[in-house]
Amino acid sequence: MTVSVLVVDDSGFFRRRLGEMINGFDGLKVVGAASNGREAIDMVLKLKPDVVTMDYEMPVMDGITAVRHIMEQCPTPILMFSSLTYEGARVTLDSLEAGAVDYLPKNFEEISKSSAVLKKKLAERILTVAGAGKGNALKSSMAPAPAAKTAAPAPAPSPTPATAAKPAAPARPVSPRNRRQDFELVAIGTSTGGPVALQNVLTQLPASFQLPIVLIQHMPSTFTAAFAERLNSLCKISVVEAKDGDTLRPGVALLAPGGKQMMIGKGGRIKVLPGDERLNYKPCVDVTFGSAANAFSNKVLAIVLTGMGSDGCEGAKLLKQKGAKVWAQDEQTSVIYGMPMAVAKANLTDEVLPLSKIGQRLSEIG
């Protein structure tokens, strides 16, 4: 079956080169091209493509606005092109929240070379995004609007999570079904669809949540600082990008830095190591999960959210061998049911939950 693609970009050169690369791959076909967001909406409604590749900066209507309109009128898997900069990260995160499934760096130099490696990467990403389908998974993955709160200036950068922590609310009684003392760490791993899924889960946690959390999201090194700041501004708990030497703190979520590996040592001390070229993912969920198994044994609650591939499965096996608990997101609400499917098929899950319920259940134990 051929996957139809609509290319949206204000650069005629980029549209042509992208079209040539996509059409040169068996199973993919460009059915149209648009030079701005307004044209993109009209062509989506007319052509009903399987996937849209979308630029951000365009005349008439920008990419994020176009994504929002497309998701409202004709939900379609969208692959954004982004610059690998701090500002590019913020724009990309906005587009993902608006409904885009995934993103790729926009590098004109690589596109002009039309390398076989880039062509394969582009095709694989388009096919993966096409697998997200139209409808339930796309809509159900969108994060709920966080509760309104008094505007405040962004927190100043801090060298440690301790100083970034927000004031904790008084402790609450917890359900006997999941007592806080049963766990000493929550570890969450995710990939495609993860930024919105993590926002969905973490914004449901109360300020009184007392367990430390580690987050492993497949993401470039230039994106994780912006992502941590975004989550921190939306959540009642504190969220910061992890640094080597940090220590796990109650009610603080540490996000693994992009391009590196995050491990947890005895006593909850964080080790941030250079990305190993032998590993496909940097950061890698298996690496962090495995270190959590060694450091906290059966006192870990691991959660595997939406994402392609099977990263997290081997780490979940190590955790289960220690007696830890594993939750996974269900298929219906996963943008890409790869990572959670891997742990479910390996019979490693203690619970399989829709995305909307994970934060609620997590708040009961922390």
Side-chain angles (χ1 to χ4, degrees):
M1 180 180 174
T2 300
V3 173
S4 59
V5 183
L6 173 67
V7 175
V8 185
D9 199 290
D10 64 332
S11 166
F13 164 75
F14 197 82
R15 291 197 303 272
R16 287 192 304 273
R17 297 301 291 125
L18 204 55
E20 290 169 2
M21 295 175 71
I22 293 170
N23 285 330
F25 198 93
D26 289 342
L28 300 179
K29 181 181 179 181
V30 175
V31 293
S35 61
N36 61 66
R38 182 69 263 169
E39 287 182 5
I41 297 168
D42 294 339
M43 295 184 79
V44 165
L45 295 173
K46 178 182 177 181
L47 300 174
K48 300 292 193 297
D50 296 313
V51 174
V52 176
T53 68
M54 181 78 71
D55 188 27
Y56 161 66
E57 219 171 332
M58 296 180 292
V60 183
M61 181 184 290
D62 66 80
I64 294 177
T65 304
V67 169
R68 291 196 181 101
H69 283 290
I70 289 170
M71 296 310 294
E72 289 172 0
Q73 299 178 46
C74 185
T76 304
I78 297 173
L79 177 66
M80 295 295 297
F81 277 94
S82 168
S83 63
L84 286 177
T85 63
Y86 178 84
E87 185 57 36
R90 296 182 64 177
V91 168
T92 301
L93 292 168
D94 285 341
S95 69
L96 294 174
E97 185 172 358
V101 175
D102 205 357
Y103 58 92
L104 271 178
K106 184 175 184 179
N107 189 318
F108 280 82
E109 186 175 322
E110 285 192 349
I111 290 290
S112 65
K113 291 178 181 177
S114 189
S115 68
V117 173
L118 180 63
K119 177 180 173 181
K120 182 180 178 182
K121 182 178 181 180
L122 173 63
E124 288 177 346
R125 196 62 63 89
I126 289 174
L127 290 170
T128 298
V129 169
K134 305 175 182 180
N136 287 344
L138 291 179
K139 290 185 176 180
S140 63
S141 67
M142 296 180 72
K149 56 183 179 181
T150 304
S158 169
T160 63
T163 57
K166 299 171 184 176
R172 318 167 276 115
V174 297
S175 165
R177 179 182 179 189
N178 286 296
R179 301 184 306 277
R180 187 178 70 80
Q181 58 265 32
D182 290 339
F183 302 107
E184 295 178 2
L185 174 68
V186 176
I188 307 177
T190 184
S191 182
T192 311
V196 175
L198 285 172
Q199 182 176 320
N200 188 305
V201 171
L202 297 177
T203 53
Q204 295 185 61
L205 301 183
S208 57
F209 192 83
Q210 288 298 299
L211 289 173
I213 304 172
V214 290
L215 309 171
I216 312 96
Q217 163 73 56
H218 297 165
M219 187 172 274
S221 58
T222 52
F223 277 33
T224 42
F227 185 38
E229 289 176 12
R230 182 189 191 90
L231 289 175
N232 189 63
S233 71
L234 296 173
C235 298
K236 297 179 181 71
I237 65 168
S238 295
V239 184
V240 295
E241 184 182 42
K243 297 179 179 62
D244 187 56
D246 281 346
T247 302
L248 296 175
R249 302 281 182 173
V252 176
L254 297 179
L255 176 68
K260 299 181 181 180
Q261 301 298 349
M262 181 174 72
M263 299 184 68
I264 306 165
K266 296 295 182 182
R269 186 162 295 276
I270 297 296
K271 297 178 182 178
V272 175
L273 306 173
D276 191 327
E277 293 305 317
R278 295 170 297 178
L279 296 173
N280 289 331
Y281 305 111
K282 297 179 277 290
C284 176
V285 181
D286 283 329
V287 169
T288 306
F289 277 14
S291 68
N294 289 331
F296 287 92
S297 189
N298 65 335
K299 298 297 184 179
V300 180
L301 170 60
I303 305 174
V304 180
L305 301 178
T306 175
M308 63 181 176
S310 60
D311 188 23
C313 189
E314 291 302 316
K317 286 180 184 177
L318 296 174
L319 285 164
K320 291 298 291 182
Q321 289 170 7
K322 296 284 190 176
K325 301 294 184 183
V326 176
W327 294 356
Q329 187 176 346
D330 68 4
E331 181 175 7
Q332 185 179 12
T333 63
S334 294
V335 173
I336 302 293
Y337 190 55
M339 288 168 57
M341 178 179 68
V343 293
K345 281 194 170 183
N347 296 315
L348 299 172
T349 53
D350 294 281
E351 294 192 44
V352 175
L353 300 164
L355 180 62
S356 61
K357 298 294 184 183
I358 293 175
Q360 176 186 330
R361 291 278 288 108
L362 192 54
S363 66
E364 296 174 3
I365 68 169

